[in-house]
Amino acid sequence: MTVLERLPLVSRSGLHVLIGFAAVAMVMPLLFSGSQLFTWTTALAWVLFATATSVLFGWTGLLSFGQAAFFGMGAYTMALLYERDPEMSGFVMLVVAALVAGVVAALFALFALRTSGAEFAILTLVLAQVLWLLTYRVDWLNGEEGFHGLFGVKILGGPLTSDLQLWYYTTAVVGVCVWLLWLLSRSTAGQAMRAVRDDPWRAAALGIRVRRVQVSAFAVSAAFSAVAGALIAQGQGVVSPGMLTFAISGEILVACLIGGTSKFIGPVIGAVVLIWSQTLMSNIFHESNIFVGLLLLVIVIALPGGFVSLPGRLAGRRRRRPAKGESAPPPSGAATASDDLVEEGVR
Amino acid sequence: MSKNISRGAIAMTMAGALLLGACGGGSDDSGEASETVKIGVVLPFTGVQATIAELEGQGARVAADLINADGGVDGKWKIELVEVDDQLDPGRSATVMRDLNDQDVSLAIGGQTSDLCKSSAEASQRFNMTFIGAHCTSPTLVDPPITPNFFMIGQQMPDLADAIGKGLAERYPDIETWDVVTYDVEAMRQSWDVAKASMEEELGRTIEVGEQYAVPVSATTMRNEISGLEATGDKSKRGLFLGIYGAGTTSFIQQAAPTGLIDQYGVIAQTGVYWPTATALDGTAPSIYNVHDYFYACQETEENTAFVEAFEKATGEKPDTGAYQGYVAIKLLEAAITKAGSTDSAEVQKALEGIEIETPKGTTMTVGKDSHHGAGGVTTATLVGDPNAPQGVAIDDCTVVPAKK
């Protein structure tokens, strides 16, 4: 029995998630400083982005090639709000960014979800491309120039004047958002999303309103992706059309894949691995993106279920290893299927 | 089970964190600070703009070598360049500026594009680093500067476009219609608008615009645009205005070559960097009337000769405008440190405001006290492939246009 199973109140309330983030917030500045702490700050924002993407991709089974649309929407919303009213609280900006992205996503999903599968994925890609183009076409979005000065966004009455303050702020926001997503994953709504993913026809037969669940998942995913984008914008201090490119949408899907979507923590691990592999590789290799791509390819091929499948695979391998005098189990079939069930089904 | 795995994953993450901490580089010991001034060079040394960035970085290296060979800055400080790769990504530039700060670097140059200049300036402001945007050209970055620590020496696109517009009107008054291909970014679209206005002002008539295309900066194929240009019929009285640069120019020329399109135009003009593309074409580069801060063959000053010789000695190549900008940025910092009598970032920033230096072009660069822009004049010239010319490119018909007062 795990510690959490002994403490059902903690488990149900997701208190361990908040405690985990609080611990990370306190420990990291003791271990890292300067650009390394900033990289962790960036990684945390991507943790939220990856977890939000997993709501759609992992929990609900909807593939989106356009998550950058909402990531960028959050960043641009914050920039526009800051330009209009520099005195506005950063927390209010985050909430507005989430609402804007959530509403746009819900409206988009109402129409786009008339399709499914690859068609839906392509429509999400089109949405992101249209928004990217709009940044060049709409004057007040400032084209290539984008926005700057977002270091000045006020949090609790003043701007964040150091990277340490930025770290604590980002950890707090990401911690609360991931906690909310944890609660959602354990709620009836979260279970409905997974039911829709596993078999939408059966889910509908059970009385679940499939379209409503999918639209809600899309909106929730977009809202939290927007918060992540706004956090990145604050961290960098600038917003530019690069935040809406397909590269961003692709990278966040890769983060989900390398972490694995069968467990809540999978995208968290994936985002950290992605950001740190990019950073460390660029310090080692000249054309680092090639090596980052190769590394991620190797991870995805070696661990199709992502990093979260690693313990299960290792345990399965130990179980399959025949003891002396026992015959070996069949090479495939029952054992593999059983492992897959453990990996995919049990949460 | 999932909770066990969650704990395992957390343990893995923490172990990774510890490992990263062990591997991570700490800040440099700055025991030699009194004799060495570290200057960061922030450029996209990898990726699609790597060729241009390498030349820009080499310009800075040559300037540092020449200054060091001459006894250092004000005879007191040897320059140590610290190069970092922003990978053409604003997010990455925010990180590498912190890398520089970790290495006790308080003065830096670089910034390939406007958004990179912005993110580098924003990040460096946090540590009160001085940042000179050597290669960005957008007027929105200066006057007032985006941050108090930011200075820009790339000549602004309106000045470049105005010069090429006037030069085209003077040299090619018979061109009746202009076809236009620009990157789909404000600065390059604006370059055509300004050049057109300047031509119209000089010629006293309205310029007719034929086909007009805006392509993404990342475009690797322009076959649709080339097909559109091909369909315009007789081109002897038509000009082609290219507001593209780097890989875009190479793509355009290579894809247009089989059609014979380029030879048909009365003149081709370009506001983006052409030199690296022209040299890569190994003596076959088409004739293009180009404008930029600098062309190595357009002036015969003592400083330019020394710069060109040193650059050629280091690389075997002639310097381009990006190399010149890297060179001037370092020379500007040298002048500011000398004026301030200190390498302290705040003092250097104060010294940079209103400073004047002589450039290898023979023009004076003046940094506006309030604008933080170093206006140093522009140069127009025709670049054409010539197997007998250095690097296979002849530079003719030069005009050095001093900065407007």
Side-chain angles (χ1 to χ4, degrees):
Chain A
M1 182 176 275
T2 66
V3 174
L4 284 176
E5 282 165 341
R6 289 195 197 104
L7 300 167
L9 187 63
V10 172
S11 175
R12 272 202 301 274
S13 64
L15 207 56
H16 60 296
V17 176
L18 290 174
I19 291 169
F21 272 97
V24 166
M26 284 185 289
V27 169
M28 289 303 187
L30 301 176
L31 299 172
F32 301 99
S33 62
S35 70
Q36 292 186 342
L37 186 64
F38 182 73
T39 303
W40 275 113
T41 308
T42 305
L44 264 193
W46 275 71
V47 160
L48 175 58
F49 188 22
T51 309
T53 302
S54 187
V55 173
L56 198 63
F57 181 47
W59 305 2
T60 318
L62 290 172
L63 177 60
S64 166
F65 287 142
Q67 280 303 97
F70 307 110
F71 185 73
M73 204 180 288
Y76 271 90
T77 303
M78 172 164 271
L80 289 166
L81 289 171
Y82 181 63
E83 189 178 59
R84 179 174 285 267
D85 181 10
E87 297 303 314
M88 186 185 286
S89 163
F91 292 117
V92 175
M93 292 180 185
L94 289 178
V95 172
V96 175
L99 288 174
V100 168
V103 169
V104 171
L107 291 173
F108 172 80
L110 279 172
F111 295 98
L113 280 167
R114 292 168 191 271
T115 64
S116 61
E119 289 170 344
F120 174 76
I122 295 299
L123 280 178
T124 59
L125 176 63
V126 169
L127 173 69
Q129 287 298 102
V130 166
L131 289 180
W132 177 76
L133 270 177
L134 283 178
T135 60
Y136 289 100
R137 294 277 180 259
V138 179
D139 283 347
W140 45 270
L141 293 178
N142 293 349
E144 183 197 33
E145 300 289 329
F147 296 85
H148 66 94
L150 295 176
F151 284 143
V153 170
K154 294 193 168 44
I155 306 297
L156 301 176
L160 303 169
T161 54
S162 72
D163 280 0
L164 189 60
Q165 289 178 357
L166 180 69
W167 163 254
Y168 287 129
Y169 162 74
T170 305
T171 315
V173 172
V174 173
V176 169
C177 289
V178 171
W179 172 65
L180 290 172
L181 289 172
W182 165 269
L183 293 179
L184 176 65
S185 78
R186 294 301 172 111
S187 69
T188 316
Q191 288 169 358
M193 288 175 192
R194 283 189 283 274
V196 167
R197 175 200 63 189
D198 293 341
D199 190 336
W201 297 105
R202 186 178 293 174
L206 289 170
I208 294 171
R209 295 187 176 183
V210 173
R211 178 74 60 82
R212 183 182 288 184
V213 169
Q214 289 175 326
V215 169
S216 303
F218 202 78
V220 167
S221 176
F224 284 100
S225 295
V227 173
L231 288 174
I232 288 286
Q234 266 185 281
Q236 292 177 5
V238 297
V239 174
S240 66
M243 298 187 79
L244 287 153
T245 56
F246 176 68
I248 300 285
S249 298
E251 283 180 0
I252 203 60
L253 287 177
V254 168
C256 289
L257 286 172
I258 59 181
T261 55
S262 61
K263 303 282 189 291
F264 186 86
I265 200 168
V268 174
I269 297 170
V272 171
V273 169
L274 178 76
I275 296 298
W276 269 105
S277 60
Q278 286 176 337
T279 302
L280 293 177
M281 289 285 192
S282 69
N283 292 338
I284 299 168
F285 299 110
H286 188 60
E287 291 287 351
S288 61
N289 281 339
I290 297 170
F291 294 95
V292 172
L294 283 174
L295 174 72
L296 300 181
L297 194 65
V298 167
I299 292 172
V300 171
I301 290 171
L303 291 169
F307 273 112
V308 290
S309 69
L310 188 59
R313 280 175 167 263
L314 292 175
R317 192 166 291 172
R318 276 199 298 272
R319 277 201 304 275
R320 284 200 297 273
R321 196 174 294 151
K324 277 185 181 175
E326 284 180 20
S327 61
S332 60
T336 308
S338 163
D339 287 346
D340 288 347
L341 277 175
V342 169
E343 285 170 16
E344 298 298 327
V346 179
R347 290 176 183 83
Chain B
M1 178 165 188
S2 81
K3 286 146 193 156
N4 285 334
I5 291 170
S6 297
R7 285 196 306 167
I10 290 168
M12 275 171 58
T13 308
M14 294 308 292
L18 290 169
L19 184 66
L20 290 167
C23 294
S27 59
D28 273 3
D29 182 1
S30 54
E32 292 180 12
S34 62
E35 295 176 2
T36 304
V37 55
K38 290 183 178 179
I39 298 177
V41 181
V42 188
L43 288 169
F45 288 109
T46 60
V48 292
Q49 300 285 344
T51 308
I52 294 174
E54 184 53 36
L55 291 170
E56 292 164 347
Q58 191 58 49
R61 285 175 215 134
V62 165
D65 289 346
L66 287 173
I67 292 166
N68 287 342
D70 209 23
V73 180
D74 203 19
K76 294 176 188 169
W77 297 280
K78 294 276 185 189
I79 294 175
E80 181 188 334
L81 296 182
V82 182
E83 295 180 6
V84 288
D85 180 10
D86 62 28
Q87 299 179 348
L88 214 59
D89 172 10
R92 180 77 193 139
S93 78
T95 304
V96 297
M97 292 310 293
R98 286 163 169 85
D99 284 337
L100 290 177
N101 184 57
D102 291 351
Q103 296 175 60
D104 296 329
V105 177
S106 62
L107 309 170
I109 67 164
Q112 181 84 313
T113 60
S114 298
D115 55 347
L116 290 168
C117 275
K118 279 182 179 177
S119 60
S120 295
E122 292 270 352
S124 58
Q125 188 194 10
R126 186 156 280 218
F127 317 109
N128 198 28
M129 287 170 68
T130 301
F131 185 74
I132 295 183
H135 313 291
C136 43
T137 59
S138 171
T140 62
L141 299 174
V142 288
D143 201 18
I146 48 171
T147 56
N149 64 322
F150 177 74
F151 298 81
M152 184 175 91
I153 63 160
Q155 297 312 294
Q156 297 181 19
M157 187 50 81
D159 294 334
L160 296 165
D162 180 56
I164 201 171
K166 286 189 166 61
L168 285 168
E170 187 184 318
R171 288 165 179 77
Y172 305 97
D174 297 334
I175 296 295
E176 292 168 354
T177 307
W178 282 89
D179 295 326
V180 182
V181 179
T182 65
Y183 278 136
D184 194 7
V185 295
E186 180 61 24
M188 301 315 282
R189 283 198 302 266
Q190 186 194 40
S191 74
W192 164 245
D193 295 338
V194 174
K196 178 172 173 279
S198 296
M199 270 193 271
E200 288 176 340
E201 188 185 328
E202 287 294 305
L203 294 170
R205 64 176 167 85
T206 306
I207 295 290
E208 191 179 330
V209 181
E211 299 296 310
Q212 190 163 3
Y213 302 102
V215 297
V217 177
S218 56
T220 53
T221 177
M222 299 188 201
R223 293 194 190 281
N224 287 343
E225 290 75 20
I226 290 166
S227 296
L229 294 173
E230 261 190 293
T232 55
D234 178 33
K235 294 179 181 59
S236 58
K237 296 282 185 188
R238 292 178 87 97
L240 175 61
F241 186 93
L242 296 175
I244 55 178
Y245 47 82
T249 311
T250 310
S251 298
F252 184 86
I253 290 171
Q254 286 178 342
Q255 289 161 20
T259 67
L261 181 77
I262 288 173
D263 298 330
Q264 294 167 20
Y265 273 103
V267 60
I268 300 178
Q270 186 187 11
T271 47
V273 179
Y274 180 44
W275 172 258
T277 304
T279 55
L281 291 171
D282 209 17
T284 64
S287 174
I288 291 184
Y289 186 63
N290 198 205
V291 62
H292 229 295
D293 296 19
Y294 168 88
F295 296 101
Y296 78 89
C298 289
Q299 50 277 304
E300 289 182 358
T301 66
E302 200 176 313
E303 187 180 4
N304 188 55
T305 305
F307 169 51
V308 174
E309 278 177 6
F311 193 90
E312 207 163 7
K313 194 176 167 191
T315 64
E317 296 180 0
K318 301 287 188 185
D320 74 333
T321 199
Y324 166 83
Q325 290 167 331
Y327 174 91
V328 171
I330 296 293
K331 293 291 284 184
L332 196 61
L333 279 177
E334 180 201 21
I337 293 167
T338 303
K339 183 180 165 187
S342 164
T343 59
D344 176 73
S345 182
E347 296 295 322
V348 171
Q349 282 172 38
K350 208 181 292 175
L352 277 169
E353 292 174 347
I355 200 168
E356 286 189 357
I357 63 164
E358 292 304 311
T359 70
K361 278 194 303 199
T363 59
T364 302
M365 175 176 281
T366 308
V367 178
K369 194 173 183 341
D370 299 318
S371 71
H372 283 203
H373 178 240
V378 303
T379 310
T380 60
T382 300
L383 276 61
V384 60
D386 178 354
N388 299 316
Q391 292 179 255
V393 179
I395 299 175
D396 302 314
D397 200 14
C398 294
T399 304
V400 176
V401 183
K404 291 172 190 163
K405 290 290 178 188

